[in-house]
Amino acid sequence: MSLTEACIKKPVLAWMIMAATIVFGVVASQRIGISQFPDVDFPTINISVTWEGANPEAVESDVIEAIEEAVTQVEGVTSITSNARQGGANITVELDLSRNVDTALADVQTKVSQAQRQLPEDIDPPIVTKTNPEDQPIIQVGVSGPFSQQVVSDFARYRVKEKLQTVPGVGEVQIGGSLERNVRIWVDSGKLDSLGLTVMDITAALQREHVELPAGRIETSGREVNVRVLGEALDLETLRNIVIREQGGQPVYLHDVALVEDGFEDIRRMARVNGIPAQGLGIKKQRGANAVSVAQGVRAELARIQKEAPEGMDVAVRFDSTQFIEESVHEIEFELLLACILTAFVCWVFLGSLSSTMNVVLAIPMSLLGTVAVIYFLGFTLNTFTLLGLALAVGIVVDDAIMVLENIFRHAEEGKDRVRAAREGTAEITFAALAATMAVIAIFLPVVFMKGIIGRFFLQFGVTLCVAVLLSYVEAITLAPARCAQLLKTSREGRSKMGVWVDKGFSKLEHAYGRVLG
């Protein structure tokens, strides 16, 4: 017994299949991520190198050349672009589109690690990353107020950042325009010369005494004690009293030859809010997370932080890209609703029966929500391309149901009972409906095989549309006949006045067309 006959004989089974599909779709729609674009890795890899104090010429000769020579050996590399600057460099590796970005990233990291032996010893480890639109901050937060830079910086780093990292869906919180707290040591060259010391002596003293080292353990009978050497200076006064050297039996302290004060690193970046120096924070969401929900959670947390902040401290969102995403999603949702209403109206005009119209229109939520469930398990998000596919599918998913319904109606007009008309009408039109469905899929399926970045974006569009059309075909040959056998008014008298008028109009059009043909 085919699935069509099973649904006709057991209509409860048909309704449960439809209800289960809709429930899965509704649940998936609540959990699926929302973003502006699909999660697509660009075929580029960035290598960032920091070498404090180095000029661009030294960075190019000692760093860039060694890394470029190593990265060139990676399979699939098409071009390498390097940019040297004061204190660092940025190297962009472009890959062949056929190469998997994750695999290439691992290969590049391996080659960079091998080349690191040729790099200067005091250079920071190179950072290798890949490019993805999902890695951009979705919200920019500004922290400002009539306070010292130390207070604003500490509040942004230890209060705002730590609390925002606990918001569900937040992947990373970047601090922009911030300055790292540093201890500034201003050396007096005259005092150094008078004592016969150099800056290297101060550096050696700091490396020797301002350090915490593992000291092993002390073992006694029946007891073992871990030992720590607490050599780090915990405050400025302790740091000032570090001994640089003993001369003539007298120790020379750091404060004898230098001014030690609490401060910040050199100013290389700055953030302002309304002209006032501030601390900026960029919030990134996790891959596949709902950008709108993350933004709402961040705003709620910022409201709680603002209540606990010192008087005059302003913690607010300065830029929110999810507003555009939310507006775009709502606009497409409105288009979906409008398309459903217009489709229902057109079906009612031409079918001339409310029961027939409802039977056809029920294919829309079944197909669309079922598609949402499928793309959720495929790891897609509701973005511009998947929503475009859903909007385009609204007018297509009813085609198969209309074909099956009209053929069942024709068999019913011949005097067959509803069950027999539904069974024979569906069996007669099944292959034709399949051919029509495959014709639509043949139009949009090639989109899935497009190459390049554009192809990766349109992949989700093609998959979404093809899944919706396939589900509409399954719905048309199973659930639609079951509903016809139970609900359809098959008599000509059951048609509305609108259907009669449409039939008369088509009859007149047919006669006119016959006269034109002679």
Side-chain angles (χ1 to χ4, degrees):
M1 182 172 60
S2 64
L3 183 58
T4 301
E5 294 182 356
C7 291
I8 293 175
K9 292 181 178 180
K10 301 182 182 297
V12 175
L13 173 64
W15 285 103
M16 288 298 101
I17 293 175
M18 179 179 175
T21 304
I22 293 177
V23 168
F24 273 104
V26 171
V27 173
S29 65
Q30 302 298 321
R31 299 182 179 181
I32 193 171
I34 297 177
S35 57
Q36 188 171 8
F37 298 109
D39 183 6
V40 175
D41 291 328
F42 288 176
T44 56
I45 295 176
N46 296 322
I47 305 173
S48 178
V49 184
T50 302
W51 188 12
E52 290 293 341
N55 56 51
E57 291 78 9
V59 172
E60 181 181 5
S61 59
D62 296 342
V63 178
I64 292 180
E65 290 182 0
I67 293 179
E68 284 183 344
E69 183 178 354
V71 172
T72 306
Q73 306 172 26
V74 176
E75 180 185 357
V77 174
T78 58
S79 67
I80 300 176
T81 305
S82 303
N83 178 28
R85 63 182 186 277
Q86 182 72 26
N90 187 69
I91 304 170
T92 303
V93 181
E94 187 173 350
L95 304 170
D96 188 273
L97 294 175
S98 60
R99 184 74 196 276
N100 183 275
V101 179
D102 292 328
T103 305
L105 178 66
D107 294 343
V108 171
Q109 288 175 332
T110 302
K111 293 299 181 181
V112 171
S113 299
Q114 294 174 357
Q116 198 164 355
R117 294 176 297 178
Q118 306 175 20
L119 302 180
E121 294 183 357
D122 56 341
I123 194 173
D124 294 338
I127 301 175
V128 183
T129 59
K130 60 183 178 181
T131 305
N132 189 299
E134 291 282 285
D135 294 333
Q136 299 302 318
I138 60 174
I139 295 180
Q140 297 288 347
V141 178
V143 181
S144 60
F147 301 93
S148 64
Q149 196 171 14
Q150 289 90 337
V151 174
V152 176
S153 177
D154 288 346
F155 184 82
R157 182 180 300 274
Y158 301 111
R159 295 286 295 280
V160 180
K161 179 180 178 181
E162 290 184 358
K163 287 184 177 296
L164 291 181
Q165 286 177 330
T166 62
V167 176
V170 172
E172 181 184 357
V173 179
Q174 293 180 330
I175 297 183
S178 65
L179 298 177
E180 295 287 342
R181 293 284 295 276
N182 279 343
V183 175
R184 312 285 292 191
I185 300 178
W186 305 97
V187 180
D188 190 327
S189 59
K191 293 181 179 180
L192 282 180
D193 291 339
S194 64
L195 295 173
L197 299 176
T198 64
V199 176
M200 295 301 297
D201 294 325
I202 297 178
T203 303
L206 292 174
Q207 293 176 347
R208 182 180 63 251
E209 299 191 29
H210 180 58
V211 64
E212 181 175 343
L213 298 174
R217 60 183 179 270
I218 299 176
E219 297 180 357
T220 61
S221 57
R223 189 177 183 187
E224 182 178 291
V225 180
N226 293 325
V227 180
R228 294 175 61 194
V229 178
L230 302 177
E232 288 187 336
L234 300 180
D235 51 43
L236 291 180
E237 191 61 32
T238 306
L239 193 64
R240 293 189 183 103
N241 292 326
I242 286 180
V243 177
I244 300 176
R245 182 189 295 178
E246 289 189 4
Q247 290 187 346
Q250 296 294 326
V252 178
Y253 298 101
L254 180 61
H255 64 78
D256 293 332
V257 296
L259 173 64
V260 182
E261 62 180 7
D262 186 9
F264 290 88
E265 62 180 347
D266 295 335
I267 299 177
R268 299 291 183 185
R269 51 193 178 273
M270 181 178 293
R272 293 182 182 272
V273 174
N274 296 327
I276 303 175
Q279 294 290 308
L281 296 95
I283 290 88
K284 295 181 179 181
K285 72 181 185 69
Q286 295 175 351
R287 291 285 185 89
N290 190 321
V292 178
S293 298
V294 173
Q296 293 173 351
V298 169
R299 287 182 176 274
E301 187 63 37
L302 288 178
R304 289 190 287 268
I305 294 174
Q306 183 65 64
K307 295 179 181 179
E308 302 172 358
E311 185 176 356
M313 185 75 74
D314 183 29
V315 183
V317 175
R318 304 302 175 184
F319 175 75
D320 187 358
S321 64
T322 62
Q323 291 181 349
F324 309 104
I325 300 174
E326 192 172 6
E327 292 175 2
S328 175
V329 171
H330 287 167
E331 188 66 23
I332 296 180
E333 288 176 348
F334 172 76
E335 296 294 338
L336 278 171
L337 179 61
L338 183 61
C340 293
I341 294 174
L342 293 178
T343 301
F345 176 74
V346 172
C347 290
W348 175 65
V349 169
F350 285 93
L351 294 178
S353 172
L354 286 176
S355 60
S356 300
T357 302
M358 288 301 299
N359 199 351
V360 172
V361 172
L362 284 175
I364 297 177
M366 164 73 179
S367 302
L368 298 188
L369 291 175
T371 303
V372 172
V374 172
I375 64 175
Y376 168 74
F377 287 108
L378 290 176
F380 296 171
T381 60
L382 286 181
N383 51 67
T384 304
F385 294 89
T386 53
L387 289 173
L388 176 62
L390 292 175
L392 186 59
V394 172
I396 301 176
V397 296
V398 297
D399 292 348
D400 292 338
I402 293 175
M403 293 171 58
V404 173
L405 178 64
E406 283 299 299
N407 200 52
I408 293 174
F409 184 83
R410 182 178 64 83
H411 279 267
E413 285 184 326
E414 296 176 357
K416 299 177 183 178
D417 61 88
R418 293 181 179 183
V419 175
R420 182 182 175 189
R423 182 173 60 251
E424 295 182 1
T426 304
E428 189 177 57
I429 204 68
T430 296
F431 186 78
L434 177 62
T437 301
M438 297 308 297
V440 175
I441 293 177
I443 295 173
F444 295 101
L445 188 61
V447 175
V448 178
F449 300 99
M450 291 176 61
K451 296 182 178 180
I453 296 298
I454 301 300
R456 295 182 181 180
F457 276 93
F458 274 93
L459 168 69
Q460 297 192 10
F461 166 76
V463 171
T464 300
L465 191 56
C466 291
V467 169
V469 174
L470 283 174
L471 287 178
S472 70
Y473 171 74
V474 174
E475 195 276 341
I477 64 172
T478 56
L479 308 183
R483 293 195 299 267
C484 286
Q486 296 295 320
L487 304 176
L488 182 63
K489 294 182 179 180
T490 57
S491 62
R492 177 65 67 176
E493 291 77 9
R495 294 176 63 83
S496 65
K497 293 182 179 180
M498 178 64 73
V500 176
W501 293 342
V502 172
D503 288 343
K504 290 181 179 179
F506 275 115
S507 297
K508 292 180 180 179
L509 183 62
E510 181 182 0
H511 290 305
Y513 185 65
R515 288 197 299 269
V516 170
L517 295 179

